[in-house]
Amino acid sequence: MILVTGGTGYIGSHTCVELLKNGYEVVIIDNLSNSNNDVVDRIKKITNKDLKFYFGDVSDKELLRRIFTENKIDAVIHFAGYKAVGESVKLPLKYYDNNLYSTICLCEVMKEFSCKKIVFSSSATVYGIPKTLPIKEDEALSTTNPYGTTKLMIEQILKDLYVSDNEFSIAVLRYFNPIGADKSGLIGENPNGIPNNLMPYIVKVALNKLEILSVFGSDYDTPDGTGVRDYIHVVDLARGHIKAIEHVMKQTGIDYYNLGTGVGYSVLDIIKTFEKVNNVKVNYKIVDRRPGDIASSYADVTKSYKELGFKTIYTLEDMCKDAYNFAIKNDI
Ligand code: NAD
Ligand code: UFG
């Protein structure tokens, strides 16, 4: 049985679907600070399987103890946390408090119950401004905002935890840019307010809910001058978690894995592909660079392929189609 913190969120919900499809039993804890509890029913509908949902905060140790007492948890996938880069610059304490404290509480209770297998959601943001591309897991680490620093600090906490107790088995997954949605259109990404990220913004422009997309910079050292990222279909990302769970079940240690496709696409590539596969127009204008953005970020996926056997199967066309399908079906 797998405990999924933040399981009603964007990546968590897709991972719960993959876990259930692969025969795992699932327990979710989520405080619904950035998600909706109808997601639980939607996961059940997609998979035709049952799961348990606990409403509450991961920093509530009494609730965690109750969950571990009422369920035989074999491993934890820890998604819960805040993730908005811009907000983290304005409200750093909110980010350090939620992301770090909840992780510490979770690890303490896991230790109490001798549950020592954890998969953690880290981010490619821990590579800061990468020196080499594609980015390997042993690239130097640094961050440019408090959100990224929480990820780096949690990676350090987990490393220290493993050093203190070699029975732990920890997989740190560094996600590149997840986009897209489950084919059913029942779950997907629905950020509050005006989106910060590229794909949710494109979707709203395509649906005439926002007027025009600002492309942040066309003078980067990239093939067409716009920023290049490693976009990965969220269902592929979710599949990566199954591989990571299989890995932590087999051995002890702490391992770090990139989850991406290994291929970089520019902002203009994304716009063009989205327009083509969905037969819609995405109005855009080139504006200044967004402060803090880097030119290019894409993964070296050799290690996750060799050690986890992880390989993506979905294309950029799938990502664009599925993101739009979710938006249309849910009137986003
Ligand atoms: P999300 O906001 O959709 O999901 C996070 C979930 O955690 C939400 O349902 C929220 O309600 C819940 N939550 C937050 N704090 C909590 C707490 N203290 N107790 C209980 N529940 C809590 O985000 P997501 O995109 O699904 O991201 C999941 C994880 O992956 C996050 O840790 C995020 O930092 C990381 N990540 C995301 C991306 C991305 O681009 N989406 C990239 C790299 C890493
Ligand atoms: N972009 C635009 N216009 C927009 C939004 C984005 O041109 O309105 C561009 C950006 O400049 C960048 C690319 O689209 O070149 C992707 O931007 P996103 O905001 O979608 O994603 P980022 O790569 O900036 O950051 C994301 C997450 C971070 C995470 C990082 C690495 O937001 O939390 O991926 O995983 F750390």
Side-chain angles (χ1 to χ4, degrees), residues 18 22 54 57 72 86 123 143 150 157 189 193 233 237 246 273 277 289-290 296 317 329:
E18 292 307 307
N22 281 275
Y54 289 84
D57 202 287
K72 205 202 143 303
S123 165
T143 58
T150 67
I157 290 170
E189 189 175 20
H233 196 296
L237 190 69
E246 288 167 1
T273 308
V277 300
R289 293 180 178 192
R290 182 169 65 177
S296 295
E317 281 77 11
K329 286 211 167 120

Side-chain angles (χ1 to χ4, degrees), residues 51 60 79 102 155 238:
L51 77 160
D60 179 348
F79 292 105
S102 62
E155 289 199 6

Side-chain angles (χ1 to χ4, degrees), residues 136-175:
K136 286 196 172 68
E137 285 83 351
D138 58 6
E139 171 73 34
L141 305 179
S142 68
T143 58
T144 52
N145 57 74
Y147 161 71
T149 309
T150 67
K151 292 292 171 192
L152 201 50
M153 288 170 112
I154 294 169
E155 289 199 6
Q156 185 64 48
I157 290 170
L158 294 174
K159 189 171 170 189
D160 292 340
L161 181 64
Y162 173 69
V163 169
S164 74
D165 181 347
N166 286 184
E167 287 177 1
F168 264 93
S169 180
I170 303 168
V172 173
L173 305 181
R174 295 179 180 147
Y175 310 154

